[in-house]
Amino acid sequence: MDSRFWWSFFLALAMASAGARSQSTDALGFLSIDCGIAPGSSYVDSTTGISYVSDTGFIDTGVNRNISDDYVGNARYQQLLTLRTFPNGDRNCYTIGSPAVVQGSKYLLRAWFLYGNYDGLNGQQQSFDIYLGVNYWDRMNIATPESFYWTDIITVANTGDLSVCLVNIGMGTPFISGIDLRPVRDNLYPAAHEGQTLILFNRWNLGEASETVRYPADPIDRVWTPWSSSQLNLNDVSTDSTVQNLPQDLFEVPSVVMQTAVTPIDSSTLVFPWDPLPGDVNQFFPILHISEIVDLSGTSQSRQFNYYMNGLPMLRIYILPLTSTRATSTATCPSLRSPPITSPSRLSATPLYRPSSMPWSYT
């Protein structure tokens, strides 16, 4: 296989200051759909504080089901206890329109899946596709009844509605547990625009984090997955100082994510690898988020990084020293090498996306 990679990158800054505020998810414009609950019902999730509604009015096909009692403990969120399955038809679509969707606005759109042996077949592997309207989004490979999965995209609504479609590919009955829609400010994620959607590959939170980060710590409700430093022989570092984004930041990473990081143990080079997807060409949009969380004031040390992509030098960044009121955060791309006179390279988080060109119509 020809494992070629295409890259894009952005640069952003952050500072230490006051933390994010929590408020009603309805006021934030969140739409959270629990697929499979009783028509017209709603609730507030006790874990996240997010308000959920039934999928009545968004789709008129499919069958509501509950996961098996044996797997209730695997449902991290209440949204995963029920699902809607589609035994009939090759393509079944949810349509989300006004007032949740405004033409020309940017959104994070996420789909959740927990099989939970709802059909009593107990672990039969199944696969089906998910589309954003007519545009391919992802393939869901459901391997076990206890594991839950999600996939999300950042997209601009080119029309007044968005359609989430489940497509039967002959490898099991499609189903879905939940759909989340989150408004994203137009200036964030500039690589997502009317002609291009960003499909999440993974969003890793590096360092000492042990819990998944979501709302309210992240006002956009992105899912930040903990990643163990032991996988690459790295040191965990952290700070109690709050890290807040500067006005020109393009990603607005939550402080709790930026307060932890990894750094190399035995060298000045930090390499973050991942396995490419099957196929001839893999096009990725990687972002590295970096914050200075060690006080270097009063020393001759500084923190500078050279950025490499597949061994090719791309960029050098100087990170401003931390003081009692300020920290610095940077977002850009993979392999970090520190010049000899500086402190070792450091990485707090790594979201990785796959760009996808989008036709004008979603329906």
Side-chain angles (χ1 to χ4, degrees):
M1 180 181 67
D2 181 9
S3 296
R4 289 174 287 170
F5 294 82
W6 294 0
W7 307 88
S8 301
F9 66 85
F10 278 92
L11 176 66
L13 297 175
M15 293 182 65
S17 185
R21 298 189 305 270
S22 175
Q23 55 182 301
S24 165
T25 57
D26 294 335
L28 292 170
F30 285 15
L31 173 64
S32 305
I33 301 173
D34 187 330
C35 305
I37 61 173
S41 59
S42 62
Y43 64 89
V44 176
D45 185 272
S46 60
T47 301
T48 62
I50 295 173
S51 300
Y52 288 84
V53 298
S54 74
D55 55 4
T56 304
F58 299 103
I59 195 166
D60 56 10
T61 59
V63 180
N64 289 356
R65 301 293 296 270
N66 298 319
I67 66 171
S68 167
D69 290 343
D70 294 336
Y71 297 99
V72 168
N74 297 95
R76 178 176 297 178
Y77 310 111
Q78 186 174 341
Q79 185 184 33
L80 300 174
L81 293 173
T82 59
L83 56 96
R84 183 178 288 257
T85 180
F86 302 97
N88 301 313
D90 293 333
R91 181 184 181 91
N92 291 270
C93 298
Y94 284 81
T95 300
I96 305 172
S98 177
V101 174
V102 177
Q103 183 175 359
S105 295
K106 189 176 295 186
Y107 298 93
L108 182 151
L109 185 62
R110 179 168 53 235
W112 294 91
F113 308 86
L114 174 61
Y115 166 49
N117 196 30
Y118 75 89
D119 54 6
L121 298 178
N122 200 26
Q124 179 179 344
Q125 185 166 346
Q126 52 193 309
S127 299
F128 49 87
D129 289 345
I130 181 171
Y131 277 68
L132 178 62
V134 299
N135 306 295
Y136 177 77
W137 176 348
D138 208 349
R139 173 157 295 178
M140 303 313 302
N141 297 306
I142 310 300
T144 64
E146 70 271 11
S147 299
F148 65 89
Y149 306 82
W150 73 89
T151 177
D152 71 46
I153 60 175
I154 298 175
T155 190
V156 172
N158 290 324
T159 65
D161 56 60
L162 295 170
S163 294
V164 177
C165 300
L166 287 303
V167 176
N168 192 323
I169 59 173
M171 301 176 65
T173 302
F175 70 90
I176 189 168
S177 301
I179 299 173
D180 298 335
L181 183 73
R182 308 291 184 251
V184 177
R185 289 214 317 272
D186 291 342
N187 64 304
L188 300 182
Y189 294 94
H193 47 73
E194 291 180 336
Q196 180 172 272
T197 285
L198 297 180
I199 304 172
L200 183 69
F201 184 82
N202 212 324
R203 188 183 291 112
W204 294 283
N205 179 17
L206 311 180
E208 296 178 316
S210 59
E211 298 290 336
T212 298
V213 174
R214 285 190 62 184
Y215 178 86
D218 187 341
I220 306 176
D221 191 32
R222 290 162 290 192
V223 178
W224 299 86
T225 306
W227 182 84
S228 173
S229 60
S230 61
Q231 297 179 45
L232 291 178
N233 194 31
L234 302 172
N235 271 329
D236 291 332
V237 293
S238 64
T239 181
D240 292 330
S241 299
T242 300
V243 181
Q244 184 170 345
N245 307 298
L246 292 177
Q248 65 265 38
D249 180 63
L250 301 175
F251 306 102
E252 294 190 349
V253 181
S255 178
V256 66
V257 172
M258 299 303 294
Q259 286 174 272
T260 61
V262 293
T263 190
I265 294 177
D266 300 321
S267 72
S268 61
T269 301
L270 193 162
V271 179
F272 196 88
W274 63 85
D275 295 326
L277 298 169
D280 291 335
V281 177
N282 280 271
Q283 185 175 4
F284 288 106
F285 178 79
I287 309 167
L288 302 192
H289 296 292
I290 303 154
S291 60
E292 180 54 84
I293 57 178
V294 174
D295 190 353
L296 300 178
S297 60
T299 74
S300 60
Q301 293 182 311
S302 63
R303 200 175 304 279
Q304 300 178 42
F305 301 131
N306 294 321
Y307 295 90
Y308 293 78
M309 303 177 192
N310 286 348
L312 301 177
M314 291 291 170
L315 192 65
R316 172 177 288 188
I317 294 297
Y318 170 69
I319 306 299
L320 296 175
L322 176 71
T323 69
S324 59
T325 59
R326 173 165 151 179
T328 305
S329 167
T330 306
T332 184
C333 291
S335 181
L336 314 181
R337 302 179 189 175
S338 300
I341 61 170
T342 64
S343 296
S345 52
R346 176 162 292 146
L347 182 61
S348 289
T350 308
L352 184 62
Y353 295 91
R354 295 180 288 120
S356 176
S357 298
M358 306 295 286
W360 282 101
S361 177
Y362 282 152
T363 57

